[in-house]
Amino acid sequence: MQISYYLKQKIIHQITNVIMILFLIITLFPIVWMAYSSIKENTDILSGKVALSKAENRTKFIQLDGPNIYFCTQDGGVNKFKLKDLSRDGYVSTQTMATNFAVDEKYVWVSSANRGLLKFDKENLKKVKEYKLPFKDIDISKVAGTIILNDGNAFWYSIHYRGFEGIMKFDKQKGTFSEIYELANELSPIQVIRIFKQGEVLWISTNKGLLKFDAKANKVVAATSLASYLPGGAGVLVASSGKVFLGGANGVFVFDIAAGQVVGRYQVEQGILSNQVESLISDGDQLYIGTNVGLSIINTRTNAVKNYGNLFNPVAEDKEVTKGELTAGVVAVMVKQGDKLFVGSTIGRLSEVDLATGKVLQTGVGKEGHWIIAWRNYIDMFKNINFGKYLWNSFFICGVSMFISMILATFAAYAISRFNFPGNKLFSLSILATQMVPGIMFLIPIYIMYIKFTELTGIPMKGTYFGMIFLYSAFFVPFSIWILRGFFAAIPYELEEAARIDGCSPLQVFWYVVLPLAMPGIIATGIYIFLTAWDELMFAWILTSGDTMTIPVGIRLFVGNYQNRFDLMMAAATVATIPVMVLFFMLQKHIVQGLTAGAVKG
Amino acid sequence: MARKKEELSRWRRFKRYGFAYLFILPTVLGMLILHFFPIVQGIYMSFLKLNQFTFNEFLGAPFIGFKNYYTVLFDMNSPVRIGLMDAARNTIIYTIFVTIGTLGFGMLVALMVNRKFRGRGVIRTLFLFPWIVPTYVTGLLWGFMWQRGVGIINIMLVDWFHILHDKPFWLIGPNTIWAIIIPTVWRYWPLSMLLLLAGLQTIPEELYEAADIDGASPWKKFWMITWPLLKPVWSILILFGLIYNVYSFNIVIMMFGFGAGFPGEWGDLVMTNIFRNSFLQWNFGTGAAASVLLMLVMVLIVLLWMRLYKSSEEYR
């Protein structure tokens, strides 16, 4: 078959295009990977996970509300289901941290550590208002949880945070927080985990024990240590008729209010499926215990136990995390209505359970959590190391060195390209020769010279801006002269001649005629010096210290100290790259022209 | 009369030269202090027994003649020599592969982007990206990518494309030489591409048209027209490639040992070796001796390059 010449050319052209694009992708991949890794969670990197991870959508809160049911998950997702068939009617995600929820007559309230208290319209789930939390000096990433409890016209509000011992009231109408009521007591320091309201009393579960808080007088009335029963504190609690039931890692404990102490315990021997209690509700004599494998119901009068294991279809381990088809068996939250129980699982599923048979009637699927983009890596990096300082040092040292060496190089290059003075050859040759000497050859003597100079005169050289700028300026001059020489040589001599005839002094000729013409080349050279200085590690490593460290030295030090923190490493690498990228983009034309002009002329 | 004129012109010349001398004066001073003076000191230091014990005496340290050179070159028991010989071997391999690699890839891509296609400017700029990434970042980034368990390269090779069965170690053992060559090529080839592209654009189109009429194959056109005409560019690139790669430091030092730079037997380069020897073990004397040797080798290379370049110029 005969293929025409032009068709053949066209095919070759297209194939080359494809190869070129492939090549481009491979070329750019490492840079993209650097930026991508810098926003990943380090745990994901260390476990070899390539994709970003999704926020956990463990059920946090369920509330029945007429024909609807509000189903809220830890990642800040509010699902509005229809009670009838558990179909999703609305969804909003706040993508917040340490999220908790409350639903009242008109609004859905989302409390979070990073965005404060958010108010959503109950019907259309539109955001109405945002309230700031009245905390200062709190590290948001370390807030383990926010606690919000609906109480008529107000919320009881607290946070689970090391170093915070207090509770507040939030006025719904005014939208203001009250003063912080002190929770400090003989068990201090404590961290608030959960609150339950019974009449005028708030039962506050803390990591050390149970507090009885008078909601009228706003003070702690009694504190009971639970260290010997629930070392981590009770994760869930519910109070009913003279007793408080506390659930946690070791089972359910019964606290007698009148006696003021723990009087009993429900545990495995008594038939509860497992020790890990995730949720508790009390209804008359019945105590409903959600555990990590299912549901147990205890009659608190007769101690009769009824178990419903595996409410949910168990799924294979690997499937459970990534897809979350149905769910693991953990009952995270539950709400009872009549003879129906609504149960939320740890991976965002809401199921309706028939209490008579213990069968799951229907299941609603909550939206999956959002992708977690760990912008915090950048903040952490700036907090952990003095990166802002390094950045400034680099800018300052490189910038000033660039200016000084540009000026010196311009003068010198003009001199050697225009004046055939004795020694011109020698000077030009020595400029080239300096480029052939290994940097380490200079480094050792300069290091010792700096130290000796300081010993002799008392003027500090090593570890000062002046020392670094002096060094860099002197170092980048020869190469700059070498580049600039070509630019000056390209300027027609007749122009200068003409100017001189018109009565310009040599300095005037240089200033008004030569300099403007050589400006593009000078700019290109300057940028090149800046980029090279930004890239310099060896001299900076030895000759800077503490306050004057430049980015490469700072990053090197940081990498040594934070081994395996690849997320922070990549964040640091990205930040170090961005300034030069920006500079390159702004002045790309000059750089390319300057470099190619020098090279092509030889 | 004539004498007076001559005097005037001499004065003028002096004035003119004085101007030139004034212009180069700061540079000369700087070079004297930070180039010339340190080199002389460095050469002198290479004859001294300068280590952590004699450091304070500096140039007054005991003069031991060529002992440092002997240690570096011939002392079979000296750890300095063993490390340096490994480093020298690595540097030779590294320099050859990196120089050829940067030139090869640069040429290939320069030819590809020298055609007419849509988005040419953007693609040319994108190709320059690796060259803007600072070298220490390059070392850090590739050090992360070469990680055995969590590095993306092993994940790609083993988990995605099933090219290998087991995840190899890249940063330990003989593979390290590739682990430093590949990032360096990746970092530097865009510069070659840029300069070669600029060179390509100066080649007149008529030459190719003439070759087309003669029925030359693309392969032949490249070797008979493009390559010879680009000689000024690639010869400069080879020279600078040699110098930069023999003196390569940042990428290697950042890639190994979390920035401490312990690249082991197959990853060490001469510069990193001398640096560690000097500043981490305080053997400044042998360090200086090794630097002087390195400098001599470099001068030889440059002289050789100049001779080759000159002779071929004459031939043409």
Side-chain angles (χ1 to χ4, degrees):
Chain A
M1 200 183 91
Q2 199 73 31
I3 303 173
S4 81
Y5 176 80
Y6 290 103
L7 188 64
K8 203 171 151 193
Q9 288 295 311
K10 222 170 180 178
I11 292 169
I12 291 173
H13 189 75
Q14 289 304 329
I15 291 172
T16 318
N17 275 354
V18 171
I19 295 172
M20 188 177 68
I21 297 297
L22 274 177
F23 211 84
L24 184 65
I25 291 169
I26 296 170
T27 305
L28 294 183
F29 176 76
I31 300 173
V32 175
W33 188 249
M34 171 174 79
Y36 177 68
S37 297
S38 73
I39 53 165
K40 266 167 84 172
E41 303 257 326
N42 199 42
T43 45
D44 288 346
I45 296 177
L46 290 179
S47 61
K49 203 165 160 240
V50 174
L52 289 173
S53 57
K54 279 187 169 175
E56 204 189 334
N57 65 342
R58 180 192 173 96
T59 313
K60 200 80 190 172
F61 180 83
I62 301 171
Q63 179 145 338
L64 300 172
D65 183 62
N68 297 321
I69 178 161
Y70 290 91
F71 172 74
C72 307
T73 50
Q74 197 173 318
D75 58 304
V78 180
N79 297 278
K80 185 176 161 194
F81 286 129
K82 284 210 177 79
L83 191 56
K84 195 166 73 228
D85 55 353
L86 293 187
S87 62
R88 193 167 50 230
D89 197 20
Y91 174 78
V92 67
S93 175
T94 56
Q95 309 196 352
T96 44
M97 292 152 69
T99 318
N100 216 332
F101 304 87
V103 175
D104 64 9
E105 293 77 32
K106 279 167 93 175
Y107 302 110
V108 177
W109 298 77
V110 180
S111 91
S112 69
N114 52 346
R115 286 179 65 188
L117 198 56
L118 309 169
K119 188 161 85 172
F120 288 89
D121 189 280
K122 211 159 134 183
E123 287 310 312
N124 53 17
L125 295 180
K126 286 245 167 64
K127 193 169 92 184
V128 182
K129 204 153 178 185
E130 201 166 327
Y131 304 97
K132 279 241 155 59
L133 298 186
F135 303 119
K136 278 176 195 136
D137 308 325
I138 272 184
D139 184 356
I140 289 163
S141 65
K142 294 200 172 110
V143 176
T146 55
I147 299 114
I148 180 166
L149 184 76
N150 202 353
D151 183 14
N153 284 330
F155 286 122
W156 290 98
Y157 196 88
S158 183
I159 57 171
H160 183 182
Y161 179 74
R162 182 193 293 271
F164 180 78
E165 295 175 88
I167 190 166
M168 299 171 291
K169 240 180 167 174
F170 176 79
D171 192 311
K172 285 187 212 172
Q173 254 85 50
K174 290 185 200 153
T176 53
F177 282 96
S178 72
E179 58 172 306
I180 297 169
Y181 305 125
E182 199 57 48
L183 286 182
N185 57 73
E186 64 262 31
L187 300 177
S188 291
I190 51 152
Q191 293 165 43
V192 180
I193 297 175
R194 214 171 167 116
I195 315 172
F196 187 85
K197 188 158 189 289
Q198 185 191 32
E200 288 304 326
V201 172
L202 284 186
W203 296 101
I204 301 173
S205 158
T206 70
N207 62 338
K208 294 275 178 65
L210 183 68
L211 307 183
K212 187 178 180 184
F213 183 84
D214 189 329
K216 272 246 150 54
N218 293 325
K219 63 177 189 201
V220 178
V221 219
T224 315
S225 172
L226 291 175
S228 51
Y229 310 108
L230 290 162
V236 283
L237 77 169
V238 65
S240 80
S241 60
K243 289 197 176 91
V244 180
F245 298 98
L246 302 152
N250 300 341
V252 179
F253 291 83
V254 184
F255 176 85
D256 192 287
I257 295 170
Q261 57 179 325
V262 174
V263 291
R265 176 187 191 186
Y266 298 110
Q267 54 177 332
V268 183
E269 292 86 66
Q270 282 158 308
I272 299 177
L273 285 166
S274 163
N275 284 347
Q276 177 75 39
V277 177
E278 302 281 345
S279 54
L280 266 183
I281 50 173
S282 147
D283 181 42
D285 287 344
Q286 308 284 343
L287 185 67
Y288 296 83
I289 304 170
T291 66
N292 56 352
V293 287
L295 172 69
S296 303
I297 303 166
I298 295 180
N299 188 315
T300 52
R301 210 169 290 277
T302 62
N303 282 356
V305 176
K306 213 165 156 193
N307 278 330
Y308 302 118
N310 295 336
L311 281 181
F312 308 105
N313 300 351
V315 250
E317 276 286 313
D318 57 330
K319 226 176 168 185
E320 171 189 304
V321 183
T322 51
K323 293 266 166 51
E325 286 295 299
L326 265 166
T327 130
V330 182
V331 175
V333 178
M334 49 193 177
V335 169
K336 186 170 177 287
Q337 193 193 42
D339 56 352
K340 301 274 173 57
L341 194 68
F342 291 89
V343 171
S345 79
T346 41
I347 47 173
R349 298 292 182 277
L350 174 67
S351 299
E352 188 181 350
V353 178
D354 186 354
L355 279 175
T357 59
K359 286 266 158 59
V360 173
L361 297 175
Q362 52 186 345
T363 298
V365 182
K367 272 248 171 101
E368 277 187 45
H370 54 92
W371 297 108
I372 297 177
I373 298 175
W375 297 115
R376 280 205 60 80
N377 290 342
Y378 286 87
I379 301 166
D380 284 353
M381 180 198 68
F382 272 95
K383 272 186 182 160
N384 283 332
I385 55 171
N386 205 349
F387 209 86
K389 180 79 184 163
Y390 302 151
L391 210 59
W392 161 246
N393 286 344
S394 260
F395 266 115
F396 185 73
I397 290 174
C398 298
V400 175
S401 308
M402 179 188 81
F403 266 103
I404 294 175
S405 50
M406 250 162 78
I407 293 166
L408 295 184
T410 308
F411 284 127
Y414 178 67
I416 62 169
S417 67
R418 274 293 180 269
F419 304 104
N420 193 17
F421 56 89
N424 188 329
K425 267 264 162 64
L426 182 73
F427 184 60
S428 310
L429 207 69
S430 62
I431 284 171
L432 263 186
T434 54
Q435 297 305 299
M436 285 157 214
V437 182
I440 195 106
M441 184 98 206
F442 301 116
L443 179 56
I444 305 169
I446 287 174
Y447 172 65
I448 302 175
M449 263 166 64
Y450 270 22
I451 291 176
K452 291 287 163 191
F453 185 76
T454 310
E455 276 177 15
L456 284 175
T457 60
I459 302 168
M461 291 294 284
K462 184 181 164 292
T464 60
Y465 286 133
F466 174 72
M468 281 316 284
I469 291 171
F470 181 51
L471 180 83
Y472 277 0
S473 310
F475 256 71
F476 295 126
V477 165
F479 192 69
S480 316
I481 294 175
W482 205 68
I483 303 179
L484 275 177
R485 213 176 43 141
F487 282 99
F488 283 117
I491 297 170
Y493 190 63
E494 291 76 44
L495 278 175
E496 288 177 57
E497 205 80 293
R500 204 161 287 143
I501 289 164
D502 286 349
C504 284
S505 74
L507 205 65
Q508 278 173 325
V509 173
F510 175 68
W511 189 255
Y512 291 111
V513 179
V514 180
L515 214 52
L517 286 170
M519 219 44 185
I522 294 171
I523 292 173
T525 315
I527 299 160
Y528 193 78
I529 296 171
F530 188 88
L531 294 180
T532 319
W534 189 270
D535 206 10
E536 208 287 318
L537 169 65
M538 190 164 67
F539 284 85
W541 183 342
I542 298 300
L543 296 175
T544 59
S545 57
D547 282 346
T548 51
M549 269 186 202
T550 52
I551 289 188
V553 191
I555 286 190
R556 195 202 66 78
L557 197 75
F558 162 73
V559 169
N561 290 345
Y562 290 82
Q563 305 189 352
N564 288 334
R565 283 308 302 271
F566 292 114
D567 54 341
L568 301 190
M569 257 187 232
M570 288 303 116
T574 311
V575 172
T577 311
I578 287 171
V580 277
M581 282 256 178
V582 170
L583 197 71
F584 179 80
F585 266 105
M586 283 184 343
L587 303 160
Q588 182 200 356
K589 226 172 152 187
H590 288 291
I591 299 175
V592 171
Q593 270 177 359
L595 278 172
T596 50
V600 175
K601 279 177 205 119
Chain B
M1 189 74 189
R3 204 169 154 236
K4 206 177 177 187
K5 202 174 177 186
E6 201 179 84
E7 238 170 40
L8 189 76
S9 73
R10 190 181 285 166
W11 189 82
R12 251 189 177 166
R13 280 180 66 183
F14 173 76
K15 205 177 144 195
R16 203 194 262 174
Y17 290 155
F19 192 61
Y21 285 127
L22 200 69
F23 270 21
I24 64 165
L25 184 69
T27 309
V28 170
L29 273 181
M31 279 170 67
L32 276 180
I33 297 173
L34 286 180
H35 284 104
F36 183 69
F37 194 43
I39 291 176
V40 174
Q41 276 184 42
I43 294 171
Y44 185 65
M45 261 165 60
S46 67
F47 297 108
L48 301 180
K49 186 181 167 62
L50 195 63
N51 53 29
Q52 69 263 52
F53 306 113
T54 57
F55 174 72
N56 266 332
E57 296 156 47
F58 187 32
L59 296 179
F63 190 87
I64 49 168
F66 284 91
K67 187 112 187 301
N68 285 330
Y69 290 93
Y70 175 78
T71 311
V72 166
L73 288 174
F74 305 113
D75 189 352
M76 291 300 169
N77 299 322
S78 159
V80 175
R81 189 222 171 236
I82 299 168
L84 199 68
M85 286 303 133
D86 281 339
R89 174 202 59 199
N90 294 342
T91 308
I92 292 168
I93 301 173
Y94 173 85
T95 307
I96 291 173
F97 275 97
V98 170
T99 310
I100 294 175
T102 44
L103 208 60
F105 280 118
M107 192 71 238
L108 195 70
V109 177
L111 287 173
M112 283 201 280
V113 297
N114 196 32
R115 302 166 305 134
K116 283 200 180 72
F117 54 87
R118 263 173 56 188
R120 189 165 73 164
V122 177
I123 285 182
R124 279 180 185 173
T125 310
L126 285 176
F127 268 125
L128 284 179
F129 264 37
W131 179 64
I132 314 161
V133 176
T135 45
Y136 56 91
V137 170
T138 309
L140 192 65
L141 169 63
W142 282 82
F144 167 54
M145 293 188 7
W146 289 124
Q147 291 287 322
R148 181 171 182 267
V150 304
I152 185 67
I153 292 170
N154 272 352
I155 291 177
M156 277 183 177
L157 286 178
V158 178
D159 298 344
W160 293 6
F161 302 127
H162 303 289
I163 296 168
L164 299 173
H165 286 295
D166 279 325
K167 290 187 172 176
F169 285 101
W170 288 106
L171 299 179
I172 305 169
N175 283 342
T176 36
I177 190 87
W178 299 111
I180 59 176
I181 287 173
I182 293 171
T184 318
V185 172
W186 177 80
R187 169 60 169 61
Y188 284 108
W189 73 261
L191 182 63
S192 306
M193 181 207 74
L194 187 66
L195 300 187
L196 287 167
L197 182 63
L200 278 178
Q201 286 164 351
T202 62
I203 299 177
E205 194 65 27
E206 294 84 51
L207 288 176
Y208 293 104
E209 279 162 15
D212 274 337
I213 292 166
D214 290 348
S217 66
W219 186 248
K220 216 159 188 183
K221 273 194 283 187
F222 176 76
W223 285 114
M224 305 306 275
I225 302 172
T226 318
W227 189 246
L229 283 178
L230 283 179
K231 185 158 178 278
V233 182
W234 56 252
S235 48
I236 279 284
L237 278 174
I238 287 177
L239 176 67
F240 276 85
L242 287 176
I243 295 177
Y244 275 127
N245 295 323
V246 170
Y247 295 161
S248 188
F249 178 80
N250 285 7
I251 292 180
V252 174
I253 210 92
M254 288 302 285
M255 198 182 292
F256 295 95
F258 295 107
F262 297 106
E265 193 192 336
W266 282 94
D268 210 2
L269 296 183
V270 174
M271 280 292 268
T272 53
N273 189 286
I274 298 175
F275 182 85
R276 275 207 323 282
N277 195 19
S278 298
F279 286 97
L280 300 183
Q281 291 155 20
W282 287 54
N283 277 325
F284 290 109
T286 50
S291 323
V292 171
L293 287 173
L294 184 59
M295 189 173 70
L296 289 179
V297 171
M298 190 46 74
V299 169
L300 271 180
I301 291 175
V302 173
L303 287 179
L304 197 71
W305 178 87
M306 276 184 159
R307 167 142 310 177
L308 283 175
Y309 187 71
K310 280 257 170 68
S311 68
S312 66
E313 285 286 288
E314 277 160 21
Y315 176 72
R316 272 173 74 201

